[in-house]
Amino acid sequence: MKYAERMKRLGTETAFEVLVRARQLEAQGREVVHLEIGEPDFDTPKNICDAATKAINGGYTHYNPSAGYPEIRKIISDEINKTRGLKTTPEQVVITPGGKPVMFFTIFALVDKGDEVIYPNPGFPIYESLINFVGAKAVPIPLREENDFRMDVKELAKLVTPKTKLMIINSPQNPTGGVLTHDDLKEIARIAVENDIWILSDEIYSRIIYEAKFESVTQFPGIPERTIILDGMSKTYAMTGWRLGYGVMDEKMAAHVSRLQTNSNSCVSAFSQIALGEAITGPQDESNKMVAEFKKRRDVIVDGLNAIDGIDCRKPLGAFYVFPNTKQLGKTSKQLEEYFLENYGVAGLAGTSFGAHGEGYLRFSYANSIENIKKALSWIEKGVADLNK
Ligand code: PLP
């Protein structure tokens, strides 16, 4: 049987593959510390679960408008206006099953075969996968350690050609935890306006930020009308399994994205949307507590990794990942991913899971308890010592 040609161009997210392997090892009785998957280890706050239960029992169990319930879209547009200083309307919001479909829909709505799309590398692997899937040219902008994993905006300007249709930015960033500065965003905005380029601004980690202040590229003139903001509930409210996200964009673009949703998911689960409304309008203490806890864990893992000979780790300003440099260990990222998992029970990801520029790095998610992080650090230390024997 033959499959469509385009399937050869579709990539994946290897975090799920490493998770499967880690679970196999556990089934064999091995102990594994999970630092591979990007999801908060906390439970969804109770007020949100209660709102969903009430909604199910109250009849929110039917189809609803493709873009989402108008009152929930209003809650999102108010939130975006409050946090980004914009003047969006509910008609500019499309609620989606997770933030991920916003990538899919944006690229499908905007990018033709032969167009060029600039995307961060290392970066969330689905960007590159989808750009290739639609037959466009994926143009990586390398994120370098010496630049604290921010894109070099001078380099960005050089990558733009008349075919550049879209630029993808992500701050705070997965996998590096890098955060773009005000000046970076200003320059990105200038390049986009001058060259008439769309922006997909992946702001899913906007609330998980430490010493830095979150800023959106949409603060600059000429940008809101050419930008799709991607955000969602997964990370901020520990709601990965609920599949709740949203895109905020120009009204015409929202109509296209909504039509893509009609053609695929139809709409987002009705009671989940009520939970989304509660998450945004209800008390924020649980979410704030999670961020404070992530910060403590970040300090433990960064200090612990830097104490190991041969590993260097920058202190990330946001998200819940570290991206240590492992070049001195003399093995590829993939070899180290396997080495630490198979022999020492530490599940992490090769930097190359996030693109070719991730070679020489590993990604560890510190969405795990301090106790487990300390255990993983001691196992990594042993693994490194054994490499030198
Ligand atoms: N964007 C980035 C950078 C991510 O890391 C993720 C998840 O890992 C997402 C978007 C999508 O998350 P979800 O579809 O769960 O909202």
Side-chain angles (χ1 to χ4, degrees), residues 115-121 131 137-142 159-161 164:
D115 285 343
E116 295 180 8
V117 181
I118 302 176
Y119 71 102
N121 188 321
I131 300 164
K137 184 175 170 196
V139 180
I141 168 93
L159 293 176
V160 171
T161 77
T164 309

Side-chain angles (χ1 to χ4, degrees), residues 98-100 103 124 127 170 174 202 204-205 234-235 243:
K100 224 181 208 176
M103 298 169 197
F124 192 58
Y127 307 142
N170 172 214
N174 177 8
D202 185 339
I204 196 108
Y205 296 103
S234 287
K235 318 287 176 179
R243 309 311 302 131

Side-chain angles (χ1 to χ4, degrees), residues 14-26 30-38 301 305 320-322 324 333-334 336-350 353-354 362-368 372-373 375-377 379-380:
T14 54
F16 290 100
E17 289 162 19
V18 175
L19 178 66
V20 168
R21 179 64 192 142
R23 294 256 187 263
Q24 276 171 355
L25 291 173
E26 286 173 315
R30 297 269 309 278
E31 196 185 352
V32 175
V33 178
H34 291 272
L35 303 180
E36 76 279 38
I37 205 91
I301 198 165
L305 287 168
F320 40 68
Y321 310 107
V322 282
S333 299
K334 193 72 197 161
L336 287 174
E337 173 192 290
E338 284 165 13
Y339 176 74
F340 287 121
L341 175 59
E342 300 292 332
N343 304 299
Y344 300 91
V346 180
L349 294 183
S353 305
F354 302 90
L362 289 174
R363 189 199 77 170
F364 295 121
S365 157
Y366 51 87
N368 207 325
N372 282 339
I373 290 170
K375 198 184 281 180
L377 285 166
W379 293 349
I380 295 168

Side-chain angles (χ1 to χ4, degrees), residues 143-177:
L143 305 187
R144 298 198 179 81
E145 186 183 0
E146 55 271 27
N147 205 25
D148 280 324
F149 298 112
R150 292 159 30 229
M151 56 177 74
D152 174 344
V153 284
K154 287 202 186 87
E155 196 173 359
L156 176 70
K158 288 191 200 130
L159 293 176
V160 171
T161 77
K163 289 187 179 162
T164 309
K165 188 72 176 283
L166 172 70
M167 291 193 291
I168 302 176
I169 61 173
N170 172 214
S171 175
Q173 210 242 357
N174 177 8
T176 67

